[in-house]
Amino acid sequence: MKQRKIPSAGPRSYKSLEPHRKPHPPPTPLSPGPSRRYRGPLIFGTVWLGIVSWYGYSLYKTITTSRDVAPRDFDFSHRFDTTATGFDQEVDITEWLMGVTRMRKRLVHRAHGNVLEAAVGTGRNSEFYDLGRIKSLTLLDQSPEMLEVARVKWKRTHREDKQCRLLAWSALDPVPPPPPADSNDQGVEGYDTIIATLSLCSIAGPSLFLRNLAGHLAPPQLTRPLASDTSAGANTPPPSRIHLLEHGRSYYSWLNKILDRTASAHASKHGCWWNRDIGKIAEDSGLEIIDLQRRHFGTTWSIELGLPERATGKDRQQWLEDNRRMMITMQAEVERQRKEGEEFVRKQDEAREEEGRLERWRTEQRENMREKDL
């Protein structure tokens, strides 16, 4: 009888200790389920929620720590001289998230003929201009520092700058007329399109600002067809208009209370009064409100203004004269506010310097006491 051979005991491989199981089948590829389908929106929503939470927290800190530092409507526009270089980086993300960049683009695409942009700032609208619809473009700002940023931006976004002139000029003063097209062109009386975006909040005398611009709108008989319009109706040019994109008071009283409480501190720091009643300012300008749209709880205003009927007919000269008289009255009030604002800011800066000197003295005293203890 054959004997079965018994294997000798010895070290066994780790594989012999593993249970003998059938190998698992390869995993089946996962079908695109809801988790993958909504991964992009979920990530975007999370980022959006984080940004909104951060903004809400910043606003809460401003509300709870701010205090009134100046009377209403003081002129703090000189703040932009010191914030020009970093202004775009500060507002880029906020404007994109809130859709303000898209609103800028839609507004600027309406520009035609001889165009004036008042209070251009750093030129945040420059990239949206369609030069095919524009005969000339004039950009004004009273801050040379802001205007220099706009000049660099224009050269970067448009290779040809012969159609654009940038002037360090206050839109509260008489505005230069559009440039002549050539040596034989004597120029025209006014502009076909005037644009101002996020400017009424920072200008001393915003109603005066609009009245001054109204006097530089071309009357209907002087507006010209679009250069790119070759249709049969090209002899009937679109009327001259002022297009505004502004931020100010809301629909809701609770939000207006927040804006009112923080407006003075915000204006002192950023040069912007964000609680102004934009609708009332437009009414006081003497212009006709053609269209008005509001977003973001009513705080963002998109307004189209036109000349009243009296300013386009036989009474135009009388309307211009009445407009000048009203501007003289407003100018005196604006000048008073500007001087008071400059004096207030001077005292505020002196107080900060004194506080800084006192803090340095305290630091030196603490260091001296520490040295004595050693």
Side-chain angles (χ1 to χ4, degrees):
M1 186 175 177
K2 234 174 184 184
Q3 292 184 350
R4 190 170 53 179
K5 187 175 180 180
I6 301 175
S8 61
R12 289 182 295 178
S13 164
Y14 73 91
K15 291 183 179 180
S16 64
L17 301 176
E18 293 181 345
H20 296 283
R21 297 176 181 173
K22 292 183 179 180
H24 291 285
T28 57
L30 295 175
S31 60
S35 59
R36 290 194 174 187
R37 187 183 310 162
Y38 299 109
R39 183 175 299 172
L42 182 62
I43 294 174
F44 179 80
T46 303
V47 174
W48 174 270
L49 181 61
I51 293 174
V52 170
S53 300
W54 170 82
Y55 183 79
Y57 175 75
S58 301
L59 182 61
Y60 170 77
K61 292 293 290 183
T62 303
I63 294 170
T64 55
T65 59
S66 65
R67 54 186 177 88
D68 288 339
V69 295
R72 188 186 181 98
D73 288 336
F74 268 27
D75 181 17
F76 291 113
S77 57
H78 63 280
R79 296 293 192 203
F80 294 107
D81 295 340
T82 58
T83 61
T85 55
F87 183 81
D88 287 333
Q89 291 81 358
E90 185 176 351
V91 301
D92 271 339
I93 295 179
T94 303
E95 286 199 359
W96 181 79
L97 288 173
M98 297 182 67
V100 175
T101 303
R102 186 167 59 253
M103 297 174 71
R104 285 179 181 272
K105 185 175 182 179
R106 285 201 301 265
L107 183 143
V108 173
H109 275 184
R110 302 177 188 176
H112 66 88
N114 292 304
V115 180
L116 168 68
E117 183 175 349
V120 65
T122 59
R124 297 187 61 79
N125 300 323
S126 297
E127 60 181 309
F128 305 131
Y129 280 106
D130 181 3
L131 299 185
R133 293 169 50 87
I134 293 176
K135 180 183 177 183
S136 70
L137 178 61
T138 302
L139 308 180
L140 304 182
D141 200 275
Q142 67 179 7
S143 170
E145 289 78 5
M146 299 286 274
L147 195 67
E148 184 57 32
V149 177
R151 190 188 309 276
V152 173
K153 189 178 298 182
W154 177 266
K155 291 183 178 180
R156 186 174 66 246
T157 55
H158 299 276
R159 293 182 179 180
E160 297 183 4
D161 59 353
K162 61 181 180 181
Q163 294 177 287
C164 177
R165 59 176 181 173
L166 294 95
L167 305 176
W169 200 288
S170 172
L172 296 176
D173 299 328
V175 176
D182 49 48
S183 57
N184 298 324
D185 190 356
Q186 299 300 318
V188 294
E189 183 179 340
Y191 292 90
D192 303 308
T193 308
I194 297 179
I195 288 175
T197 57
L198 304 183
S199 56
L200 296 183
C201 63
S202 58
I203 291 177
S207 295
L208 172 63
F209 171 79
L210 291 181
R211 280 189 175 271
N212 187 36
L213 296 181
H216 296 281
L217 272 178
Q221 64 270 23
L222 294 180
T223 56
R224 302 184 180 185
L226 303 181
S228 59
D229 192 353
T230 58
S231 61
N235 291 328
T236 306
S240 57
R241 291 286 187 260
I242 295 178
H243 296 283
L244 304 176
L245 178 62
E246 303 294 338
H247 67 132
R249 299 189 74 76
S250 168
Y251 295 126
Y252 304 103
S253 58
W254 62 267
L255 184 51
N256 288 332
K257 289 179 182 178
I258 294 175
L259 295 176
D260 290 339
R261 182 176 178 182
T262 59
S264 188
H266 183 81
S268 179
K269 182 178 181 181
H270 300 287
C272 164
W273 291 93
W274 60 6
N275 65 333
R276 286 179 172 174
D277 190 340
I278 304 301
K280 183 67 165 56
I281 292 171
E283 290 177 354
D284 292 344
S285 68
L287 292 163
E288 180 182 352
I289 299 178
I290 307 300
D291 185 44
L292 190 153
Q293 299 177 15
R294 298 173 71 177
R295 295 182 61 186
H296 307 131
F297 301 102
T299 60
T300 302
W301 301 64
S302 179
I303 306 179
E304 181 180 348
L305 301 174
L307 290 171
E309 185 177 354
R310 180 166 170 258
T312 60
K314 61 181 180 180
D315 295 331
R316 175 172 172 78
Q317 291 303 321
Q318 183 61 44
W319 177 84
L320 289 173
E321 184 62 29
D322 293 343
N323 194 49
R324 290 192 192 98
R325 292 198 193 98
M326 183 63 70
M327 288 175 58
I328 291 174
T329 302
M330 291 181 172
Q331 185 66 46
E333 177 64 19
V334 168
E335 191 63 27
R336 182 190 65 80
Q337 290 181 356
R338 178 181 289 118
K339 290 181 179 179
E340 290 181 356
E342 291 175 354
E343 179 65 17
F344 177 84
V345 170
R346 184 185 65 80
K347 293 180 179 179
Q348 197 177 43
D349 292 340
E350 290 178 354
R352 289 197 187 99
E353 291 178 3
E354 181 63 27
E355 186 177 352
R357 284 195 294 267
L358 182 60
E359 183 61 29
R360 288 192 295 271
W361 178 82
R362 290 172 180 168
T363 303
E364 292 176 358
Q365 294 298 316
R366 285 194 295 267
E367 291 178 354
N368 292 337
M369 293 178 64
R370 192 178 296 114
E371 291 177 358
K372 291 180 179 180
D373 294 339
L374 295 177

